[in-house]
Amino acid sequence: MSIISSDISKAVALLSTEELVAIPTETVYGLAGNIFSEKAIKSIFQTKKRPFFNPLIVHIPSVDLLQNIVSYIPEKAQRLADAFWPGPLTLVLPKQSTIPDIITAGKDTVAVRIPNHPTTLELLNQLDFPLAAPSANPFGSISPTTAEHVNDYFKDDIKMILDGGPCQRGIESTIIGFEGDEPIIYRLGSTSIEAIETIVGQIDIKNKKEIAPDAPGMLDRHYAPSTLTVLTDDISETIQKYSEKRIGVLAFSKSSDHDAVAFQIVLSESTDLQEAASKLYDALHQLDKQDLDIIIAERFPDIELGKSINDRLQRATVRA
Ligand code: TXA
Ligand code: MG
């Protein structure tokens, strides 16, 4: 059984003896271990059933420590770090030789970020090593945004879940890599492209087929409920099409009144994309528990965080 607790000193004690602790961040909960402990890092991969070719993100408490993790910082990377850290942005840069190969899956680059959560920043400040932390879910399933979600997945596998309340952002960090000195988006996430472009100018998204073997966060089917889930531009038409079934609806701002709808969640009545993002994964967790035949999810406007929400919905669904 895991202990769910907000006791930071207990988390320090466990992490310092090579155990895993689930930690809160502003994006999603992470499954954390000491980057220099081979035992802890192997245990992260085993607990998640994550393939070893999928590298981990290193979490640090301050920008000064970046130079201990990476060997080269392009000027635009420095500007992005200054603009968005602590926050939901991950930079992929050439690694220092001290970063173990198991963290980077043998690659010569390492992913790093400063999470923006007071509990985890305090935890990182008390530790004398950085934490590797992938999202605290079994490989391929929905990321957790509450301590309870983590407990549902891993109560028999980890000793402690450090409770920091529900995640405020709700979608994973945006990942940016570099080709030469030019930034490129590897994974859409909680920092919008529009916000990034105000700092570094126009930026491209790396073709997902190219990146798939490197960043399985970009694999087609990921973040998926076990219930059949479809994505649609027209909720009422799709409800009609499946009206013989027990339907769940995941809508942006408006509810549906069709009799076939057994359960529905409206993510933001006021059409606030950040509010919708913060509730997205919890809504998928809830819908997945309702014994539905099908979940019908509505496509979001293709701007700002709507792009990141659509990216996750596409990976969770098949087309209607
Ligand atoms: O918001 C987040 O980023 C959360 C919280 C816990 O910080 N973490 C997270 O980790 O989403 P994870 O492991 O679920 O996703 C990390 C992604 C993976 O798709 C991985 O392939 C990619 O980052 N990645 C890690 N290192 C990389 C590298 N050197 N090059 C390219 N992609 C990398
Ligand atoms: Mg993940």
Side-chain angles (χ1 to χ4, degrees), residues 188-298:
L188 293 171
S190 273
T191 301
S192 71
I193 299 183
E194 288 86 342
I196 290 163
E197 288 186 334
T198 64
I199 306 300
V200 293
Q202 201 254 321
I203 187 166
D204 289 334
I205 303 176
K206 193 161 167 100
N207 176 304
K208 84 178 172 212
K209 291 217 170 55
E210 261 173 66
I211 187 81
D214 289 343
M218 300 295 273
L219 287 176
D220 260 358
R221 197 160 161 73
H222 210 83
Y223 313 102
S226 44
T227 313
L228 172 68
T229 306
V230 297
L231 182 59
T232 180
D233 290 304
D234 188 334
I235 286 266
S236 43
E237 187 186 272
T238 310
I239 293 173
Q240 286 297 341
K241 179 169 163 191
Y242 294 102
S243 59
E244 302 302 300
K245 298 198 181 291
R246 191 176 145 76
I247 296 176
V249 167
L250 179 60
F252 179 17
S253 62
K254 292 192 188 68
S255 55
S256 304
D257 55 11
H258 198 287
D259 285 345
V261 177
F263 187 84
Q264 64 183 317
I265 293 178
V266 174
L267 289 172
S268 174
E269 281 175 10
S270 62
T271 69
D272 177 343
L273 291 168
Q274 180 56 73
E275 182 187 17
S278 71
K279 294 181 177 170
L280 177 68
Y281 289 157
D282 184 61
L284 288 171
H285 281 280
Q286 282 190 53
L287 283 154
D288 211 16
K289 285 185 183 160
Q290 307 299 323
D291 279 319
L292 301 163
D293 298 323
I294 189 164
I295 299 168
I296 298 174
E298 181 177 22

Side-chain angles (χ1 to χ4, degrees), residues 25 27-31 48 50 54-57 59 90 92 103-104 107 109-111 113 133-135 137 171-173 175 186-187 211 214-218:
T25 81
T27 59
V28 301
Y29 275 72
L31 184 59
K48 277 183 62 86
R50 176 180 177 117
N54 191 356
L56 306 178
I57 297 175
H59 295 69
T90 294
V92 175
I103 299 290
T104 63
K107 291 152 75 70
T109 55
V110 61
R113 82 179 190 101
S135 53
N137 53 277
I171 291 184
E172 295 82 352
S173 61
I175 302 182
Y186 281 4
R187 178 178 74 181
I211 187 81
D214 289 343
M218 300 295 273

